[in-house]
Amino acid sequence: MPEDAGELIVLTLACTVPVVVIGALVLRATSNRSLTTSMAVLVLIPTLSALAGIVGVSGLMSNGLRRTAIVLAVVAAVTVPAAILLGREQARKTVWEKQIREQERSAERSRRELVAWVSHDLRTPLAGIRAMAEALSDGVVSSQTDVARYADQIGCETHRLAAMVDDLFEMSKINAGALRLELEPVDLRELIDEVLAANRPSADRARVALDAEQPESRIEVTASDRALTRVLTNLVSNAIAHTPPGGQVSISAGSCDGHAWARVDDTGPGIAEADLPRIFEVAYRGTSARSPVAAAGTPTGSGMGLAIAAGLMAAHRGEITVENRDPGCRFEVRLPLVAN
């Protein structure tokens, strides 16, 4: 056994450095595996390095080697399982943090898109209102017919702006978690009848057939009458806006497995596969394949209709899904039935 401190240091390094290098290579080779494997390797590296250093300095015949080896083995037996458990916990935390960051980035992207879309959509009607108001104020338009037409147009644009502001307010409440719904037992069929009657005029203007298919028995769910009506209205008006003239929009309802469902089917161009994962994001309007094709003069929405529908369904502890069909696409909402 060397007595000089310098020789002792050199011999210890000569024995431990190869172990550390091998451990680093093993760690690099397992970098694509689970975090628990990496944690176990990290714990074993200093333990095996210490054993190698002791063996190299003391020699295999040292009286204390057996005792030291037992101590290191016990240390490894305790620390490796602990490292595996901690590694799993850290892996779960890392995955959770990654998901949170992705959700935050997605929310930030949606907010930027919302600001861009709303700024554009607000600018257009405001510019029209200002131009028509200036024309009326300056006397450029003087005939009674033109004045009435300008007044009607200003009224339409004002209603459009008011609807956009209402959507913004609703979306802000959903995002802030401040939405409070008054839930009560309602018959889903009655809500569908109301939505059908309210959207019939816009369907007729777009030359789109609108019908409903419902069972004779009640479909009772616990919901907010106003909120659920808005969900169905958003889906139906969206389907009408994206269905070409001569097409059809169908509403159907039913129940199965303790849940009520309502479906809105259209015969439009469908939704691009790349757009399906983001179709319920705020202000996401997708590609031109899903651009509105309804009658000219029908105002486009704020881009928040589907996002609001998804938020309202989440507040009901329900779900909303979408899938392409041949032709068109289908939106479906599901809610728990009222327990008898």
Side-chain angles (χ1 to χ4, degrees), residues 15-16 24 33 38 58 61 68 112 119 128 132 166 171-172 177 183 198 219 227 238 247 273 279 288 311 328 331:
C15 295
T16 57
R33 297 188 180 182
S38 300
S58 302
M61 302 305 295
T68 303
R112 289 197 298 267
S119 299
M132 287 182 287
D166 289 343
M171 200 70 244
S172 66
L183 304 180
I219 308 175
N238 182 73
E273 293 298 325
I279 199 67
S288 58
F331 285 88

Side-chain angles (χ1 to χ4, degrees), residues 39-93:
M39 293 288 288
V41 173
L42 285 173
V43 170
L44 285 173
I45 287 176
T47 304
L48 296 178
S49 298
L51 180 61
I54 293 171
V55 171
V57 173
S58 302
L60 294 174
M61 302 305 295
S62 172
N63 293 331
L65 178 61
R66 181 172 175 272
R67 184 180 302 170
T68 303
I70 292 174
V71 171
L72 291 175
V74 172
V75 170
V78 172
T79 55
V80 170
I84 291 175
L85 292 176
L86 292 173
R88 289 177 178 173
E89 181 64 26
Q90 186 64 32
R92 285 193 292 267
K93 183 178 179 182

Side-chain angles (χ1 to χ4, degrees), residues 113-129:
E113 291 177 353
L114 174 61
V115 171
W117 279 113
V118 170
S119 299
H120 175 271
D121 288 352
L122 287 175
R123 187 183 300 114
T124 302
L126 284 174
I129 291 173

Side-chain angles (χ1 to χ4, degrees), residues 281-300:
E281 291 184 11
V282 178
Y284 189 73
R285 298 184 177 179
T287 62
S288 58
R290 188 68 177 168
S291 58
V293 291
T298 301
T300 58

Side-chain angles (χ1 to χ4, degrees), residues 39 94 99 114-115 148 151 158-159 200 274 339:
M39 293 288 288
T94 301
Q99 291 175 344
L114 174 61
V115 171
T158 303
H159 287 309
R200 180 77 68 188

Side-chain angles (χ1 to χ4, degrees), residues 17 35 49 106 112 114 134 174 198 204 261 263 268 299 324:
V17 168
L35 185 60
S49 298
S106 177
R112 289 197 298 267
L114 174 61
E134 290 176 352
I174 292 173
D204 292 341
W261 54 263
R263 297 167 183 159
N324 282 320

Side-chain angles (χ1 to χ4, degrees), residues 186-196 211-221 228 232 235-236 249-257 259-265 330-335 337:
V186 297
D187 187 357
L188 185 58
R189 301 175 309 158
E190 294 179 0
L191 300 187
I192 290 177
D193 288 339
E194 293 176 7
V195 171
L196 194 71
D211 57 44
E213 181 180 349
Q214 303 187 73
E216 295 182 0
S217 58
R218 288 175 59 86
I219 308 175
E220 201 166 70
V221 296
L228 192 53
L232 296 173
L235 297 181
V236 172
V249 172
S250 300
I251 315 171
S252 57
S255 61
C256 64
D257 300 328
H259 284 78
W261 54 263
R263 297 167 183 159
V264 178
D265 298 318
R330 166 179 289 174
F331 285 88
E332 179 176 316
V333 297
R334 293 179 65 87
L335 285 166
L337 287 168

